[in-house]
Amino acid sequence: MAPMSDRSPSSRPQPRTEPAPHRAGFACFVGRPNAGKSTLTNALVGTKVAITSNRPQTTRHTVRGIVHRPDAQLVLVDTPGLHKPRTLLGERLNDVVRTTWAEVDVIGFCLPADQKIGPGDRFIAKELAALKRTPKVAVVTKTDLVDSKALAEQLIAVDRLGKELGIEWAEIVPVSAAAGRQVDLLADLLVPLLPEGPALYPDGDLTDEPEQVMVAELIREAALEGVRDELPHSIAVVVEEMVPREGRPADRPLLDIHANLFIERPSQKGIVIGPKGSRLKEVGTKSRKQIEALLGTPVYLDLHVKVAKDWQRDPKQLRKLGF
């Protein structure tokens, strides 16, 4: 009879398991305008860092959202939508996109579940196919807008698109940022594609965008809402100054923010200001609430509308407005 061990199973030496290495790196979501990139960034980070609007071409700056996890740090770079440019601004935005793609560790290609794959998607997919080394994840967004049959058809179409253009998808993931479906799963799939390394940003940081840029984006977002014509492309916002109000008691601080909304033509001024200034007032009220939530302090917001003639086509004006 074999001798019995006097050790209980729990006291026997256990095989050592090495903890999984920490990973940190950059990911960006690409896709045609209004494919759900910014909403997805916000859902992953868990707070509002990227401007979201149902109008195409609203993200003007590379807004980074930072996802902190015990095993990883995922830094999301939110680029403007890549599109066939019609203006100098359009060309600059496309350059920003391509530069960003070359610098990230993984790319998520967003394709809405409720829209058939079209020329705009193919245009981007062809550009992606040329980037051989960067892993690509196909993200089918807005799944809450379709039934399971339509979703299955879209997933097959995305797979086919990859095969057709020679793109090997690392993953194909259906998500709904609005309904919070599979957002965590997407993060789980992106993390293994990042390089091993320590965190790139301090714990608690949600974005590395300067506060002034984020404030300008929130004002711009409020100005876009409710404008039903082609105006959104013609609005730029510059925050001139953000200064604490002097002589306020320490427990009741107030931040004075002075900002200018730039449009291209005098005729657009009335649209932004509205009858008896009602629209501009609404923009101020709406954006002030968001800014106070972002900065955690009461704000006095002073908004002015100015004309910068044809700024989208003028290199000097573009530089002045921060593009």
Side-chain angles (χ1 to χ4, degrees):
M1 190 175 151
M4 284 180 70
S5 164
D6 59 350
R7 286 185 177 187
S8 67
S10 61
S11 66
R12 287 180 198 146
Q14 297 295 319
R16 285 183 61 190
T17 55
E18 288 294 313
H22 187 277
R23 294 179 181 274
F26 294 86
C28 80
F29 293 126
V30 306
R32 60 189 154 89
N34 203 20
K37 303 180 293 294
S38 297
T39 311
L40 195 52
T41 298
N42 292 337
L44 279 160
V45 177
T47 189
K48 185 166 192 168
V49 294
I51 178 171
T52 54
S53 159
N54 56 5
R55 298 222 149 271
Q57 236 7 80
T58 48
T59 307
R60 286 277 169 81
H61 294 275
T62 305
V63 179
R64 293 173 176 82
I66 304 164
V67 183
H68 300 274
R69 294 164 46 127
D71 60 334
Q73 190 178 71
L74 176 65
V75 183
L76 299 166
V77 186
D78 193 44
T79 58
L82 188 78
H83 62 305
K84 288 189 174 141
R86 288 192 305 275
T87 62
L88 182 60
L89 174 66
E91 281 171 35
R92 293 242 172 124
L93 292 171
N94 278 1
D95 290 343
V96 169
V97 178
R98 291 193 188 97
T99 308
T100 305
W101 291 7
E103 292 167 356
V104 297
D105 302 297
V106 55
I107 294 172
F109 181 24
C110 296
L111 298 123
D114 63 329
Q115 294 164 38
K116 290 227 180 324
I117 292 171
D121 301 309
R122 284 181 179 283
F123 174 71
I124 294 165
K126 279 179 187 154
E127 295 260 346
L128 285 178
L131 284 175
K132 296 293 179 205
R133 285 166 51 196
T134 315
K136 298 156 202 73
V137 172
V139 187
V140 176
T141 58
K142 307 186 184 187
T143 59
D144 54 304
L145 302 179
V146 296
D147 60 20
S148 52
K149 182 173 175 286
L151 177 56
E153 284 169 6
Q154 186 73 327
L155 293 171
I156 292 164
V158 170
D159 182 51
R160 201 179 293 134
L161 177 71
K163 289 194 171 85
E164 200 182 298
L165 297 174
I167 301 170
E168 199 176 318
W169 303 121
E171 306 279 354
I172 300 176
V173 198
V175 303
S176 166
R181 279 186 222 142
Q182 306 234 100
V183 173
D184 291 340
L185 172 68
L186 176 61
D188 292 343
L189 295 171
L190 291 172
V191 163
L193 301 170
L194 302 176
E196 290 177 21
L200 302 162
Y201 290 91
D203 198 23
D205 279 14
L206 294 173
T207 176
D208 76 345
E209 275 291 282
E211 285 177 342
Q212 263 176 257
V213 173
M214 293 184 72
V215 166
E217 289 284 83
L218 288 171
I219 295 168
R220 188 164 177 270
E221 178 174 20
L224 294 187
E225 269 175 40
V227 177
R228 290 282 170 257
D229 51 25
E230 282 304 292
L231 209 51
H233 300 290
S234 313
I235 297 178
V237 176
V238 175
V239 173
E240 296 295 339
E241 64 171 1
M242 286 170 49
V243 287
R245 176 83 57 93
E246 284 180 15
R248 295 281 294 192
D251 59 340
R252 287 183 50 236
L254 184 69
L255 189 68
D256 283 320
I257 299 178
H258 301 278
N260 291 326
L261 278 79
F262 289 95
I263 45 169
E264 290 195 299
R265 290 186 293 285
S267 60
Q268 297 170 336
K269 214 168 174 176
I271 300 170
V272 178
I273 294 171
K276 294 187 179 159
S278 60
R279 179 143 177 68
L280 191 62
K281 202 169 167 187
E282 205 178 294
V283 171
T285 307
K286 190 158 191 173
S287 56
R288 195 188 72 243
K289 281 184 189 149
Q290 303 255 20
I291 294 163
E292 288 179 339
L294 173 76
L295 303 177
T297 183
V299 160
Y300 170 77
L301 187 57
D302 176 40
L303 297 180
H304 293 273
V305 180
K306 298 191 170 185
V307 178
K309 200 165 174 334
D310 292 330
W311 65 264
Q312 292 193 66
R313 294 169 196 281
D314 179 350
K316 219 157 67 193
Q317 302 258 32
L318 281 172
R319 269 199 305 279
K320 194 178 138 200
L321 299 175
F323 299 111

